[in-house]
């Protein structure tokens, strides 16, 4: 499979045009991945543009690619949004990375009451930008035509309000309903055409009061199985189930 890189400019290029990778992306292509003249690569802008081309010049400051084919990849009809609670260490970042590789369409950071990690006003934007960098690199590694959006930090009340327009599923080990049952033939996932929002709690789980607020807003508590997963693996595991149900895989 050809190496894939992201374009910051030149996404409107036509077949036969030459586009340039510059800055960190050029350095990554030339110095890290060591692309060679004549090598086939793919390029994308993260918004559906997909170019295939041949490297015509390779240097750490600029890599030139002659475009041989171009296509536009449509976004999914139904988006899957991951609401990931902040977690200690890098567990939330691991969840964001894996979810991006598995096809999530958007990510929302959530400071749950039991989150050990805390983002104050000064840290919130810095943290969001850190997640954006993780998402960008994971999307590139996975050869994704669309890069997921990372939205600002949300409150529990704002998450509950999402249930007015989306199917909000809260991953909760004690829930009666199972995600596999919901996504099985005859379940609710396939006929419901709304976007899907997966809510994953922090290390200590979602507080009873928070779960009550979410369910009062219309969210549904779902269990994945008989075991309790870490916050870093619960979201990606649920995504795998939904990808099969929605026939993405």
């Amino acid at each position: 499979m050809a190496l894939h890189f992201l374009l910051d400019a030149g996404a409107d290029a036509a077949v036969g045009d030459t586009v340039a990778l510059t800055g960190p992306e050029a350095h990554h292509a030339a110095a890290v991945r060591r692309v060679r003249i004549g090598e086939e690569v793919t390029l994308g802008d993260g918004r559906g543009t997909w170019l295939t081309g041949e490297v015509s010049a390779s240097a750490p400051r600029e890599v030139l690619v002659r475009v041989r084919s171009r296509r536009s990849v449509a976004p999914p009809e139904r988006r899957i949004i991951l609401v990931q609670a902040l977690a200690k260490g890098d567990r939330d970042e691991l969840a964001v990375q894996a979810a991006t590789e598995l096809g999530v369409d958007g990510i929302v950071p959530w400071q749950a009451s039991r989150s050990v990690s805390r983002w104050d006003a000064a840290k919130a934007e810095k943290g969001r930008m850190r997640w954006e960098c993780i998402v960008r690199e994971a999307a590139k590694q996975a050869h994704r035509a669309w890069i997921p959006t990372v939205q600002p930090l949300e409150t529990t009340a704002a998450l509950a309000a999402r249930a007015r327009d989306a199917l909000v599923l809260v991953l909760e080990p004690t829930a009666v309903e199972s995600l596999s049952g919901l996504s099985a033939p005859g379940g609710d996932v396939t006929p419901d055409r709304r976007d899907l929002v997966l809510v994953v709690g922090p290390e200590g789980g979602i507080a009873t009061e928070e779960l009550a607020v979410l369910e009062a807003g219309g969210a549904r508590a779902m269990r994945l199985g008989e075991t309790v997963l870490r916050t870093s693996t619960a979201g990606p595991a649920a995504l795998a189930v939904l990808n099969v149900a929605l026939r993405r895989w």
Side-chain angles (χ1 to χ4, degrees):
M1 180 177 291
L3 296 175
H4 182 66
F5 302 98
L6 294 175
L7 279 172
D8 290 324
D12 57 347
V15 173
D17 290 348
T18 296
V19 296
L21 295 176
T22 58
E25 200 71 359
H27 180 270
H28 180 71
V32 179
R33 302 309 299 269
R34 299 184 180 277
V35 296
R36 296 291 182 259
I37 294 174
E39 183 176 352
E40 181 179 278
V41 297
T42 58
L43 308 172
D45 64 352
R47 297 181 297 277
T49 298
W50 194 267
L51 307 175
T52 300
E54 182 178 292
V55 176
S56 58
S58 179
R61 292 188 177 183
E62 184 179 66
V63 174
L64 301 180
V65 178
R66 187 172 184 275
V67 179
R68 296 196 314 209
S69 67
R70 173 191 175 93
R71 64 188 176 98
S72 295
V73 180
E77 293 182 4
R78 297 178 67 188
R79 298 185 305 158
I80 302 178
I81 309 297
L82 172 66
V83 175
Q84 175 62 50
L86 304 185
K88 65 181 179 181
D90 61 352
R91 288 178 181 171
D92 49 11
E93 295 181 355
L94 290 172
V96 167
Q97 180 184 48
T100 300
E101 293 177 11
L102 291 168
V104 77
D105 303 299
I107 293 170
V108 179
W110 172 40
Q111 190 163 279
S113 63
R114 293 178 178 171
S115 290
V116 175
S117 176
R118 312 299 292 180
W119 286 2
D120 56 22
K123 288 183 178 179
E125 181 57 18
K126 183 178 180 181
R128 189 189 68 81
M129 292 177 65
R130 165 68 179 165
W131 283 22
E132 275 191 341
C133 291
I134 293 170
V135 165
R136 177 184 171 91
E137 292 306 310
K140 182 170 67 174
Q141 187 278 329
H143 291 213
R144 293 193 56 179
W146 287 86
I147 297 178
T149 57
V150 180
Q151 299 176 34
L153 188 70
E154 280 198 8
T155 64
T156 303
L159 297 182
R162 285 177 174 266
R164 291 195 296 262
D165 303 310
L167 181 58
V168 179
L169 308 175
V170 183
L171 300 185
E172 168 53 47
T174 64
V176 175
E177 284 190 282
S178 69
L179 187 63
S180 58
L182 185 74
S183 57
D188 295 346
V189 166
T190 303
D192 192 320
R193 305 311 301 169
R194 295 177 294 169
D195 287 347
L196 288 155
V197 177
L198 284 172
V199 181
V200 179
E203 302 93 324
I206 300 174
T208 302
E209 298 79 7
E210 289 174 323
L211 186 58
V213 170
L214 294 170
E215 289 184 316
R220 298 168 65 175
M222 293 282 153
R223 59 179 170 83
L224 278 170
E226 301 304 320
T227 58
V228 178
L229 300 182
R230 290 181 181 271
T231 186
S232 57
T233 55
L239 272 167
V241 174
L242 293 177
N243 279 334
V244 173
L246 298 178
R247 298 187 181 278
R248 290 188 171 194
W249 286 5

